[in-house]
Amino acid sequence: MLRFILKRIAILPLLLLGIVTIAFVISRLLPANPIASLVGERNLNNPEIVAAAKARWGLDQDIFTQYLNYLGHLLQGDLGTSFSTKSSVTSDLLSRLPATLELTIVALLIGALGGIALGVISASRKDRFADHLSRFFSLLGSSLPVFWTGLVFLFVFYAQLGVLPGPGRLSARIEPPANVTGFYTVDSLLAGNIPLFLDAVSHLILPAFILGWGLVGTISRLVRASMLDEMHADYVRTVRAKGLSDGFVMRHHVLRNSLTPVVTIVGFAFGALLTGAVLVEQIFSWNGIGSYAVGATRTLDYPAINGVTLVGGAIFLLASLATDIVYAVVDPRVRLA
């Protein structure tokens, strides 16, 4: 196990270098000009202002020199300065990453727990009404586009029914808690402010559900198929022959062995949810790295684009490593090479 972890950690820098290189090259190949966002449309015809802006941001150099300069700063822990915010990309990401992580973690919990619950219901009531209903709900979540469901749910539950709050992480005129972790739910609990905690949780419900609904469908179908296979295994017939109840057999034998493949799905789903949060953050005005990435793309903010790509890639690779480790712990039959 230790040897496997060390090998995976050793290749992480190479993988991140590949991610950064691809992002760097693709962003430079886009048919757009970042100078427009730097100097403004009115000054585009002024060659002196354009030349000064290019020199200020290093855009007057060839792409290979820019790449080497970027790598040199990156090795020093400097992600550059954003063209749009004029502040460090590192500070921008650190201020926005907790919002995205909070949303993604809650969506992952909703997707995993909801998917497991629906999978168990479907498997234990195969071909009954509950099975058909849960499978329809799962299929719906996997099929509908996030941007459509987000807008529809926001219109129904906020605009029409008023049972859930609207966009944003907190209600209007409510000050956020003191920044400790960046997670409003955690920081409000640390401050002992229960009303603020409840307000933060209420704002999480809709975006987290929309983001995690697709994962519910994936996990529920996987759990259902795995449980149906396990229910016909020889060891299940043996424990039932010993007189154990169906409920005990389902909980302690069938379900436990069926959850092993779910570990892999959940691990990779974290990275997928992280990237899928871009649309949800736009719809619900969630001030995370997703909305930051969209703004950087619109203005062709090279440092911000590369920074978001690097952070997203690092999180995905770490989630993949953690998944492999947990899978090996859960299933002793797995041998990591």
Side-chain angles (χ1 to χ4, degrees):
M1 174 73 75
L2 180 60
R3 182 181 177 184
F4 170 78
I5 296 174
L6 293 177
K7 286 172 62 177
R8 289 290 298 270
I9 293 176
I11 65 173
L12 281 180
L14 295 176
L15 295 174
L16 290 175
L17 177 62
I19 292 172
V20 168
T21 302
I22 293 174
F24 187 92
V25 173
I26 291 178
S27 62
R28 265 63 178 183
L29 294 177
L30 292 175
N33 187 5
I35 296 298
S37 62
L38 290 173
V39 302
E41 295 290 342
R42 294 181 178 179
N43 297 318
L44 279 177
N45 296 323
N46 190 322
E48 294 182 355
I49 295 179
V50 171
K54 288 183 176 181
R56 162 69 178 84
W57 297 101
L59 299 176
D60 56 341
Q61 303 168 337
D62 61 89
I63 186 171
F64 185 70
T65 303
Q66 293 181 42
Y67 176 68
L68 292 180
N69 291 335
Y70 179 74
L71 288 184
H73 288 96
L74 190 61
L75 291 175
Q76 301 175 20
D78 182 13
L79 296 179
T81 302
S82 170
F83 294 168
S84 303
T85 64
K86 305 299 185 294
S87 59
S88 168
V89 174
T90 302
S91 61
D92 287 344
L93 292 176
L94 288 177
S95 63
R96 291 172 174 265
L97 184 59
T100 300
L101 288 178
E102 184 176 39
L103 175 62
T104 304
I105 291 173
V106 176
L108 188 67
L109 290 175
I110 292 175
L113 298 178
I116 292 173
L118 288 181
V120 172
I121 293 173
S122 294
S124 58
R125 293 167 175 81
K126 183 175 179 291
D127 295 330
R128 300 180 186 176
F129 176 75
D131 179 27
H132 296 311
L133 183 62
S134 60
R135 292 168 65 186
F136 174 76
F137 179 80
S138 302
L139 180 63
L140 205 61
S142 301
S143 304
L144 294 177
V146 170
F147 66 87
W148 187 85
T149 54
L151 292 174
V152 169
F153 275 53
L154 195 60
F155 174 75
V156 173
F157 293 100
Y158 167 62
Q160 296 297 313
L161 301 179
V163 295
L164 288 174
R169 298 182 68 189
L170 292 173
S171 299
R173 296 185 294 277
I174 292 185
E175 292 294 326
N179 188 9
V180 179
T181 64
F183 290 30
Y184 283 179
T185 52
V186 176
D187 291 345
S188 58
L189 286 178
L190 292 176
N193 193 335
I194 301 301
L196 182 59
F197 168 77
L198 295 177
D199 187 78
V201 169
S202 65
H203 279 80
L204 265 171
I205 293 175
L206 266 184
F209 176 77
I210 295 300
L211 188 58
W213 193 5
L215 182 60
V216 169
T218 303
I219 292 181
S220 64
R221 291 196 300 269
L222 179 62
V223 171
R224 180 183 185 274
S226 299
M227 289 187 67
L228 290 177
D229 289 339
E230 293 291 332
M231 288 167 63
H232 296 91
D234 293 336
Y235 76 92
V236 174
R237 286 194 291 266
T238 301
V239 295
R240 280 177 172 167
K242 293 180 179 180
L244 297 176
S245 64
D246 288 340
F248 183 89
V249 173
M250 292 289 288
R251 289 191 305 271
H252 296 276
H253 294 280
V254 176
L255 179 59
R256 179 177 297 180
N257 291 323
S258 300
L259 290 181
T260 304
V262 176
V263 175
T264 305
I265 297 297
V266 169
F268 286 105
F270 184 79
L273 291 176
L274 197 67
T275 56
V278 173
L279 292 175
V280 175
E281 288 185 7
Q282 287 295 107
I283 295 170
F284 290 92
S285 301
W286 205 264
N287 195 27
I289 61 173
S291 57
Y292 183 70
V294 171
T297 305
R298 286 174 177 169
T299 59
L300 208 59
D301 190 342
Y302 292 153
I305 292 173
N306 293 332
V308 170
T309 306
L310 178 63
V311 171
I315 293 176
F316 188 87
L317 291 174
L318 291 175
S320 176
L321 174 61
T323 301
D324 290 338
I325 295 173
V326 173
Y327 194 84
V329 172
V330 172
D331 191 350
R333 296 171 295 179
V334 176
R335 292 294 178 264
L336 300 177

